[in-house]
């Protein structure tokens, strides 16, 4: 059976929970079509988190890679189109804050996802979930994981990409000014994206 490597992230900054961590735990071992989901929660850490992700790719040898993260303030599920070769932004969970750094000194400026992001968005909309393609995954950990996933995918000729999801209700209640979705709807929307990705192979 083929392996779909699905990653989420731990809590970070003042986001005390991260719904992507629970979603990937829940989906670990699930079979969709010819694919078995192999999940991992990642550290929000530019050094160890990214190293662990790269090591997991070598260990698991996935046939597809989909990574998840929350995007505070977004009210739609947003499959990402592009990962750029830049690390910049807030401090990670170790306090490390890159400024204008390259992810890969020898790497391309950017990678475009080869996931069927238009089909994902269309299917989400058809099923009543607000969704749109995003043209920026930012310059924080999510962009970094997407970039490394696509670097591996390019080398191994597999599909890879990243989906940002909104906060859940728990985070939205704490923060007050950000939109949120129920955990149930977030999980259903992610499953739809995985199905569309698998249908495309
Ligand atoms: N979102 C952050 C990192 C972890 C997460 O869930 C981001 O968008 O980079």
């Amino acid at each position: 059976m083929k392996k779909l490597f699905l990653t989420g992230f731990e809590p970070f900054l003042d986001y005390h929970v991260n719904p992507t961590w629970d979603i990937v735990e829940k989906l670990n071992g699930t079979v969709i079509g010819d694919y078995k989901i192999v999940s991992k929660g990642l550290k929000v850490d530019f050094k160890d988190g990214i190293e662990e992700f790269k090591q997991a790719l070598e260990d698991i040898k996935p046939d597809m890679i989909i990574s998840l993260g929350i995007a505070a303030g977004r009210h739609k599920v947003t499959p990402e189109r592009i990962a750029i070769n830049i690390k910049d932004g807030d401090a990670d969970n170790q306090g490390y804050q890159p400024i204008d750094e390259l992810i890969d000194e020898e790497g391309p400026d950017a990678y475009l996802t080869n996931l069927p992001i238009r089909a994902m968005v269309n299917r989400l909309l058809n099923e009543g979930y607000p969704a749109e393609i995003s043209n920026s995954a930012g310059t924080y950990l999510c962009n970094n994981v997407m970039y490394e996933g696509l670097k591996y995918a390019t080398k191994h000729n597999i599909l890879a990409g990243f989906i940002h999801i909104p906060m859940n209700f728990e985070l939205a209640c704490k923060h007050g000014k950000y939109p949120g979705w129920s955990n149930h709807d977030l999980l259903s929307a992610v499953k739809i994206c995985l199905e569309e990705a698998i249908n495309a192979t």
Side-chain angles (χ1 to χ4, degrees):
M1 181 155 281
K2 293 180 176 174
K3 284 178 271 184
L4 191 167
F5 186 36
L6 179 70
T7 71
F9 276 110
E10 67 181 356
F12 62 108
L13 297 172
D14 62 346
Y15 309 118
H16 68 293
V17 293
N18 194 326
T20 65
W21 183 277
D22 301 319
I23 289 172
V24 305
E25 256 191 10
K26 275 210 180 87
L27 292 175
N28 193 26
T30 304
V31 173
I32 306 176
D34 293 341
Y35 286 78
K36 184 176 179 156
I37 297 171
V38 181
S39 302
K40 185 173 173 59
L42 299 173
K43 292 178 184 156
V44 174
D45 179 328
F46 281 106
K47 290 196 175 94
D48 286 358
I50 296 299
E51 275 317 306
E52 280 180 18
F53 176 67
K54 284 161 64 173
Q55 188 57 50
L57 292 174
E58 297 306 327
D59 295 343
I60 294 165
K61 300 184 175 45
D63 301 286
M64 192 187 305
I65 307 161
I66 298 184
S67 299
L68 306 175
I70 56 161
R74 286 195 195 163
H75 53 280
K76 298 178 181 182
V77 169
T78 51
E80 295 290 346
R81 195 189 302 272
I82 188 166
I84 62 173
N85 191 6
I86 286 289
K87 299 191 261 193
D88 184 272
D90 290 316
D92 66 15
N93 284 353
Q94 288 302 315
Y96 176 63
Q97 185 171 22
I99 298 174
D100 301 336
E101 281 183 35
L102 294 176
I103 293 171
D104 180 348
E105 301 269 344
E106 266 108 57
D109 290 344
Y111 286 104
L112 291 173
T113 191
N114 53 7
L115 288 177
I117 52 174
R118 182 65 61 191
M120 286 177 177
V121 166
N122 287 343
R123 168 92 189 280
L124 286 164
L125 291 171
N126 276 338
E127 301 221 10
Y129 295 101
E132 73 183 350
I133 291 174
S134 160
N135 295 312
S136 174
T139 51
Y140 195 51
L141 262 297
C142 292
N143 174 69
N144 199 333
V145 159
M146 183 179 176
Y147 188 94
E148 291 295 349
L150 277 161
K151 182 162 61 169
Y152 181 94
T154 302
K155 199 166 149 202
H156 295 86
N157 201 21
I158 62 169
L159 298 186
F162 195 96
I163 304 164
H164 264 121
I165 65 171
M167 287 180 166
N168 63 3
F169 285 152
E170 191 180 336
L171 279 171
C173 285
K174 182 172 176 232
H175 283 273
K177 287 187 182 145
Y178 294 123
W181 286 24
S182 72
N183 286 325
H184 179 266
D185 285 338
L186 289 173
L187 179 64
S188 302
V190 167
K191 275 194 203 151
I192 286 171
C193 292
L194 301 185
E195 284 167 18
E196 285 304 314
I198 288 167
N199 283 344
T201 62

